[in-house]
Amino acid sequence: MAEMTALARVTRVEGLGMVTIRADLDRAGDAIAGASGLPLPGRVGIVAEGDRALGWMSPDELLLMLPHAELADALTDLREALRGEASLVADVSDMRCVFDLTGEDADQVLAKLSPTDLEMFPPGALRRTRLAQVPAAFWRIPGGFRLIAFRSVEVYLRELLETAAAPGTWLDPR
Amino acid sequence: MLLLTCPHCGIAAEETEFNPGGEAHLKRHGPGASDEDFEGYLFLRHNVKGPVLERWRHSYGCGKWFLAARDSVTLQVYGTYPASLAHPSDEVGDSVRAAHPNWRTQI
Ligand SMILES: [Zn+2]
């Protein structure tokens, strides 16, 4: 029997700083864009430039992801920019785990786990949803997806992804 | 299986991405209200057979509450609207009345 390969590879991503920003995005959008160095994402969108990304999490919440070394300066800049606004800037780098799911059939892995129509999920979209039993969010990166979920479910999520990507479990009719 | 569209993020997903929160538009009466009013707020529900107005939360998504009109018999979803509205939007109301011409909200 020919050797079968997995549908996708699961890689843990380390060293990302993450900042939750909560504010009235209509009022404070320009200030956040200025301080984070990224344009504000639209509803259910994510903008990525260089090694920074800014994702839309809810009508009053954004998530900034950046190299951990740049975290302290970013927190200072954002707090300064939002001075006087009813807002929150919090270092949540230890709150979530990050995985990259890459490979030709990464879409099929997520299709098994999430109620998301991946045919209608373009690059630049961010989807908060569930993966089997746990909340998660994901977006497209070159070659697949980046996923974030709460760190407390990291082991569950890794096993879930690896099981859903097991060789020979394609969704295509045989 | 219900397909609900969250009015906050515009995502249409099936019901397992959401959590139900019971009947919508309950009125909590003010200080000095009677025991009967408080009992009604806590316990008494319309539980109609047909169009119902309900609270839902996009619990796996943006986390926000919203309201939905759906049919407890056919499971048809007539529409969703922000929880900040005191009544269903005109669009949702029209959608319900297309199936139930004499429908009036229980609010
Ligand atoms: Zn939502």
Side-chain angles (χ1 to χ4, degrees), chain B residues 26-38:
Chain B
L26 299 179
K27 180 169 172 55
R28 182 166 191 176
H29 297 270
S34 66
D35 286 353
E36 286 70 27
D37 280 344
F38 194 57

Side-chain angles (χ1 to χ4, degrees), chain A residues 17 61 82 97 101 122:
Chain A
E61 181 181 346
L82 290 169
C97 57
L101 181 70

Side-chain angles (χ1 to χ4, degrees), chain B residues 7 24-25 53-56 65-69 79-85:
Chain B
H25 303 295
L53 303 176
E54 291 178 319
R55 305 169 72 223
W56 285 83
W65 285 94
F66 62 93
L67 306 180
T80 56
Y81 52 105
S84 53
L85 296 186

Side-chain angles (χ1 to χ4, degrees), chain A residues 80-153:
Chain A
E80 185 60 39
L82 290 169
R83 188 182 295 275
E85 287 288 328
S87 60
L88 171 79
V89 175
D91 172 11
V92 293
S93 306
D94 293 330
M95 187 161 122
R96 294 187 172 98
C97 57
V98 184
F99 287 105
D100 279 353
L101 181 70
T102 51
E104 209 171 301
D105 295 313
D107 283 50
Q108 292 197 13
V109 176
L110 291 187
K112 292 179 187 182
L113 302 173
S114 158
T116 301
D117 184 354
L118 292 161
E119 303 275 316
M120 305 283 285
F121 189 71
L126 181 151
R127 185 76 157 84
R128 296 183 79 181
T129 180
R130 69 181 174 84
L131 292 175
Q133 298 181 32
V134 295
F138 52 76
W139 56 95
R140 290 191 189 273
I141 57 171
F145 297 88
R146 176 157 289 183
L147 299 87
I148 56 174
F150 294 121
R151 185 198 280 278
S152 56
V153 294

Side-chain angles (χ1 to χ4, degrees), chain B residues 6 8-9 58 61-63:
Chain B
C6 171
H8 299 290
C9 57
H58 196 185
C62 66

Side-chain angles (χ1 to χ4, degrees), chain B residues 18-72:
Chain B
F18 304 87
N19 273 62
E23 187 174 313
H25 303 295
L26 299 179
K27 180 169 172 55
R28 182 166 191 176
H29 297 270
S34 66
D35 286 353
E36 286 70 27
D37 280 344
F38 194 57
E39 181 198 18
Y41 166 71
L42 274 185
F43 301 117
L44 303 184
R45 300 292 178 261
H46 290 84
N47 199 26
V48 293
K49 188 175 174 183
V52 293
L53 303 176
E54 291 178 319
R55 305 169 72 223
W56 285 83
R57 191 170 90 90
H58 196 185
S59 46
Y60 285 93
C62 66
K64 301 294 183 191
W65 285 94
F66 62 93
L67 306 180
R70 71 168 181 103
D71 199 300
S72 61

